[in-house]
Amino acid sequence: MKKHTIAVLVNDQPGVLQRVSGLFGRRGFNIESITVGTSEEAGLSRMVIVTSGDDRLLEQVTKQLYKLIDVIKVIDLSARPMVGRELALIKVNAEPAARPEILGVVETFRAAVVDIGTNTLMVQVVGDTEKIDAMVELMQPYGIRELSRTGVTAMIRGNAG
Amino acid sequence: MVAQNATLRSKEELMEKMSKPEVITGSEMLLRSLVLEGVDCVFGYPGGAVLFIYDAMHGFSDFHHLLTRHEQGAIHAADGYARASGKVGVCIATSGPGATNLVTGIATAYMDSVPLVVITGNVATNFIGTDAFQEADITGITMPITKHSYLVRSVEDLPRIIHEAFHIAGTGRKGPVLIDIPKDVSSHKALFKPVNEVSIRGYNPTVTAKKPQVDKMLKAIEEAERPVILAGGGVVYSGGHEELFEFVTKAGIPITTTLLGLGAFPSGHDLWVGMPGMHGTYTANKAIQGADLLINIGARFDDRVTMKLDGFAPKAKIVHIDIDPAEIGKNVPTAIPIVGDIKTVLQQANKAVKFAAKADVWRAQVAEWKQEKPLSYVDSNVELKPQWVIEMIHETTKGEAIVTTDVGQHQMWAAQYYRFNQPRSWITSGGLGTMGFGFPSAIGAQMAHPDRLVVSINGDGGMQMCAQELAVCAINNIPVKVAIINNQVLGMVRQWQEIIHNNRFSHIDLAGSPDFVKLSEAYGVKAFRAANKEEARDAWIAAMNHPGPAVVEFVVRRDENVYPMVTAGSTIDEMLMGDAE
């Protein structure tokens, strides 16, 4: 099972997210993460979807997506050199005694503390999925109170697209 | 037939009247747009959310509106109209229950790639999302079963959306498009200007195939020793039956046509080997399994054709021609994919296709199978056999009727024993297998072809799912001839329970069905009953000679099975041949 990251350029119409995500569910394709936002062109949104399966599945996913009238373009990002990033906010238990240790991890990961409570810290970390996973793992021992991840957004490097 | 037919205005007059820019309501825009799209018949059922639309239709005579007795009847009729005419079928229903009653018909059309524009009303835009009276999220409900859908948010968008909907429904791989119109959109006024152009950025179906791919197929034909063509509904939908005939006869390749492909190639031709798959012919199934080259033209490798996928056409190099790229490689790995419109691709191929010269032995083998094991059944002079009834209908209609069927045993017998020589003469629910489809679809087919003989073959089960539409035939004098093959049981379920569930017959007895003759007469439709061959022929001929609609109930043997049959998990050459083996 290979992981694929695909970008889908769609008309910014009501219901388009439902059409795309519904297609995945209906056809038995798995969505590991999906992010949606505006694109470089007014009226078009860009979805970035991470899915896993063999090449035949990717081909079928792509073809089925193209059948949707609101889909303009489907790009297999992971076929080329790609930058993939997600963001996570982690609210972790942080009694004053534990804070220096946590701050050490945050610095090493080039993450940031974005909120401080009486006995918590909120850490913001940006990076590829593996980096976020690692950060979450390191925060586990302190006790994670809340965790929110955005899912992956991605782009092909330089002129490779 | 329908008296209203004569009152329609000439096309030129209409276009002039309808194209005039004017400030009108959304409802009037809808009607004008439908006329400008060439619609001459609409099937529908009014209700609260489409009151303005029906108000605009009061006294409107520029297309026919047929009031069915159920929304399901309306959409199946629109479907039958589309399949028989090749045009886009149109139906209208109100919001909520009206719209949800269309769901089965939309799914039926989607599975069989039938072009429909489905218009539903909805509650006013300020009520949407409030669980208002008769509100349903019909665009959400039908998203998986429509090619595309619109919820119209402003009356100004209506002309563009209607034009786009017809374009999307009727081009590329055809399919149903839904337009949901809130009540205020249908009542508000705006300047109407007809939209004649369409520009949808994400939609541009490939029509012409890549030449190198076509050349690869032609080379494969020259090299093949055991080639077979599998042709499906795509041939009919593209209007490519003449090109198919030229292709098949030039190449000299045996051809099997799927359930939806019946009529795409003349059944009397030496190279035609029947239908493939679960209830396919011995020859078609043996030929596919023995083939070294299988050319799929506009079929989608449905599981009723392939049966056990692992063992399907095990020795064949697969060529697949389809307008929908997503069909290629979906079920069966394809060596030579060809994306394009069937008619266009075959025109491309016909320029250079050569006779498959290495396939002489194979052609002889196929002809031998055809001779040895044709379709057959054990006839009886005591009981009426359903297969005999179909053969009799074929003979008395000279094979020239438009035949619609419901779903079940009678459908398979009709597919096997009525011989089709023309496209769009065979209308049946293939993909979804929708009971209740047969009779209302015949009403639509008759509206499309007022001068042709339309025969609807039904079982006693399916007939009871839309029997109320007899009223539509009676009141509009739509002369459909309905055959009810009555075996007093859900026949195909009975057959599966016999063969697969060891005679454990569970809830299949249709005792308590109405007297179909009395039921028809209650609606004002002429009706006959027949229980032996003589009665059957006489009744059928009397029905055909009757100028209006007529029903013939054929009381047939209860326990008859459809053979050949391939059971689930078997490859298509593992056929049960039945009594006639």
Side-chain angles (χ1 to χ4, degrees):
Chain A
M1 295 276 272
K2 238 162 68 183
K3 214 174 239 193
H4 301 281
T5 307
I6 49 179
V8 188
L9 209 58
V10 297
N11 282 324
D12 184 14
Q13 290 284 332
V16 69
L17 177 62
Q18 192 187 349
R19 283 185 205 280
V20 170
S21 57
L23 182 143
F24 273 76
R26 208 158 61 238
R27 297 270 169 191
F29 307 142
N30 176 43
I31 295 180
E32 286 185 15
S33 101
I34 181 165
T35 64
V36 196
T38 51
S39 72
E40 66 280 4
E41 193 180 327
L44 298 187
S45 300
R46 188 181 300 271
M47 296 183 182
V48 174
I49 302 169
V50 181
T51 183
S52 52
D54 55 17
D55 290 344
R56 213 177 134 230
L57 181 124
L58 180 72
E59 185 187 330
Q60 191 55 218
V61 168
T62 308
K63 286 172 167 179
Q64 292 292 343
L65 282 170
Y66 269 122
K67 285 181 72 166
L68 300 178
I69 308 292
D70 282 326
V71 168
I72 309 289
K73 200 166 185 204
V74 182
I75 307 144
D76 176 14
L77 299 171
S78 42
R80 281 166 284 182
M82 159 195 109
V83 177
R85 291 287 179 271
E86 68 177 296
L87 180 148
L89 294 175
I90 309 167
K91 192 183 281 178
V92 64
N93 283 330
E95 296 300 333
R99 286 187 186 182
E101 223 177 283
I102 296 175
L103 290 171
V105 177
V106 166
E107 198 174 323
T108 313
F109 272 78
R110 292 186 190 167
V113 173
V114 291
D115 181 61
I116 301 178
T118 49
N119 51 6
T120 60
L121 288 177
M122 192 195 295
V123 177
Q124 168 191 296
V125 57
V126 177
D128 57 23
T129 304
E130 289 71 29
K131 179 177 168 180
I132 312 278
D133 288 345
M135 184 75 186
V136 170
E137 201 183 321
L138 285 170
M139 290 293 114
Q140 265 338 334
Y142 303 103
I144 293 175
R145 289 215 189 165
E146 261 181 77
L147 171 69
S148 181
R149 294 172 73 150
T150 58
V152 176
T153 189
M155 226 177 246
I156 293 167
R157 284 180 185 278
N159 297 325
Chain B
M1 46 160 282
V2 187
Q4 308 161 41
N5 255 352
T7 65
L8 290 189
R9 249 177 263 252
S10 81
K11 206 174 170 188
E12 293 71 28
E13 274 179 296
L14 267 181
M15 291 303 141
E16 199 189 327
K17 181 182 147 202
M18 296 295 166
S19 306
K20 204 167 58 179
E22 207 176 335
V23 176
I24 53 175
T25 64
S27 298
E28 290 165 323
M29 286 184 187
L30 172 67
L31 303 193
R32 283 201 187 187
S33 299
L34 292 180
V35 173
L36 291 171
E37 297 296 338
V39 171
D40 56 22
C41 188
V42 167
F43 305 86
Y45 205 102
V50 288
L51 272 177
F52 288 100
I53 295 173
Y54 276 85
D55 183 64
M57 253 191 259
H58 184 73
F60 186 88
S61 59
D62 293 330
F63 55 68
H64 301 300
H65 175 278
L66 276 200
L67 172 66
T68 56
R69 296 303 184 264
H70 191 297
E71 287 86 354
Q72 190 182 356
I75 189 153
H76 290 329
D79 183 317
Y81 174 92
R83 293 190 207 222
S85 67
K87 292 166 66 175
V88 177
V90 180
C91 78
I92 303 180
T94 190
S95 65
T100 55
N101 276 344
L102 298 175
V103 168
T104 301
I106 298 173
T108 304
Y110 183 73
M111 289 287 272
D112 290 346
S113 306
V114 177
L116 293 184
V117 167
V118 179
I119 292 153
T120 51
N122 210 333
V123 298
T125 42
N126 60 328
F127 280 109
I128 284 180
T130 66
D131 300 322
F133 177 65
Q134 292 197 329
E135 182 189 359
D137 171 18
I138 195 65
T139 47
I141 291 169
T142 58
M143 214 163 257
I145 51 169
T146 48
K147 187 172 172 187
H148 193 52
S149 57
Y150 296 91
L151 169 58
V152 187
R153 284 164 196 278
S154 154
V155 65
E156 283 84 9
D157 294 337
L158 204 49
R160 172 186 59 83
I161 285 175
I162 296 167
H163 193 56
E164 279 184 10
F166 274 85
H167 177 70
I168 292 169
T171 55
R173 179 175 184 171
K174 298 170 174 65
V177 177
L178 183 127
I179 309 176
D180 197 25
I181 307 178
K183 194 169 179 175
D184 52 332
V185 171
S186 64
S187 66
H188 285 173
K189 284 185 171 178
L191 178 67
F192 172 74
K193 273 191 290 186
V195 177
N196 298 316
E197 281 168 12
V198 60
S199 156
I200 308 167
R201 189 168 165 191
Y203 181 70
N204 190 19
T206 305
V207 174
T208 308
K210 290 185 178 142
K211 189 169 180 296
Q213 295 303 99
V214 177
D215 291 345
K216 270 189 207 166
M217 170 176 74
L218 298 179
K219 185 157 175 277
I221 290 172
E222 281 182 55
E223 287 166 0
E225 290 175 8
R226 299 183 312 280
V228 171
I229 288 169
L230 168 72
V235 179
V236 178
Y237 299 152
S238 77
H241 54 282
E242 283 169 4
E243 287 78 3
L244 178 73
F245 187 82
E246 187 183 340
F247 181 73
V248 172
T249 47
K250 271 187 176 169
I253 301 178
I255 173 171
T256 169
T257 45
T258 69
L259 183 70
L260 291 187
L262 293 175
F265 190 85
S267 61
H269 198 281
D270 282 349
L271 287 168
W272 189 71
V273 297
M275 186 171 77
M278 180 179 266
H279 295 297
T281 61
Y282 180 84
T283 311
N285 287 350
K286 290 290 279 186
I288 288 172
Q289 292 305 84
D292 66 352
L293 175 69
L294 181 66
I295 304 174
N296 176 339
I297 307 179
R300 60 187 176 87
F301 288 124
D302 177 64
D303 56 88
R304 283 294 189 274
V305 166
T306 64
M307 301 306 291
K308 186 183 170 188
L309 257 182
D310 281 350
F312 176 75
K315 301 161 200 156
K317 177 189 261 191
I318 306 281
V319 180
H320 192 167
I321 311 175
D322 206 298
I323 193 144
D324 179 358
E327 282 308 330
I328 296 174
K330 187 181 79 175
N331 297 334
V332 174
T334 303
I336 306 176
I338 303 179
V339 178
D341 168 64
I342 300 298
K343 185 182 171 94
T344 312
V345 175
L346 290 176
Q347 280 168 350
Q348 289 175 271
N350 283 342
K351 285 181 197 155
V353 66
K354 292 201 184 86
F355 186 69
K358 293 185 185 169
D360 278 341
V361 178
W362 175 243
R363 275 183 286 268
Q365 167 72 77
V366 170
E368 199 179 304
W369 280 329
K370 220 173 138 177
Q371 190 76 33
E372 272 174 13
K373 296 208 175 175
L375 285 170
S376 62
Y377 63 95
V378 179
D379 201 5
S380 162
N381 283 321
V382 183
E383 294 170 300
L384 202 49
K385 286 287 189 111
Q387 301 95 325
W388 181 90
V389 173
I390 305 289
E391 286 184 320
M392 184 274 292
I393 293 175
H394 176 259
E395 183 198 320
T396 50
T397 59
K398 303 189 186 73
E400 287 169 1
I402 295 177
V403 176
T404 81
T405 77
D406 213 75
V407 169
Q409 286 184 317
H410 72 274
Q411 176 191 32
M412 290 300 117
W413 285 316
Q416 291 176 334
Y417 291 97
Y418 197 98
R419 294 306 180 88
F420 295 91
N421 294 313
Q422 288 174 55
R424 301 199 179 282
S425 294
W426 165 246
I427 291 169
T428 197
S429 166
L432 199 68
T434 307
M435 282 178 74
F437 173 84
F439 172 48
S441 66
I443 295 175
Q446 187 79 78
M447 289 306 287
H449 292 286
D451 302 327
R452 281 188 68 181
L453 175 63
V454 176
V455 171
S456 179
I457 302 175
N458 299 268
D460 45 326
M463 188 63 198
Q464 291 183 65
M465 288 197 176
C466 277
Q468 72 283 354
E469 305 306 338
L470 282 165
V472 179
C473 286
I475 204 76
N476 296 290
N477 197 26
I478 297 172
V480 169
K481 311 303 172 195
V482 182
I484 302 174
I485 310 290
N486 187 356
N487 57 359
Q488 298 109 51
V489 70
L490 281 173
M492 193 56 98
V493 183
R494 200 211 67 83
Q495 175 167 343
W496 284 46
Q497 289 180 346
E498 177 192 317
I499 295 171
I500 298 158
H501 294 276
N502 298 319
N503 293 319
R504 285 161 57 87
F505 297 115
S506 180
H507 299 278
I508 49 163
D509 195 330
L510 290 179
S513 294
D515 177 324
F516 286 106
V517 173
K518 282 188 181 164
L519 179 76
S520 307
E521 286 170 353
Y523 278 108
V525 172
K526 185 98 178 155
F528 308 84
R529 179 180 293 112
N532 63 46
K533 284 182 175 175
E534 197 186 343
E535 285 173 6
R537 192 184 291 274
D538 289 349
W540 184 248
I541 289 171
M544 286 206 301
N545 288 336
H546 178 68
V551 172
V552 182
E553 179 191 0
F554 297 98
V555 181
V556 299
R557 180 173 185 257
R558 180 186 161 102
D559 297 340
E560 194 69 17
N561 285 340
V562 180
Y563 291 113
M565 177 184 183
V566 180
T567 56
S570 304
T571 55
I572 53 170
D573 50 354
E574 296 170 325
M575 286 167 273
L576 306 175
M577 297 302 286
D579 306 336
E581 195 157 17

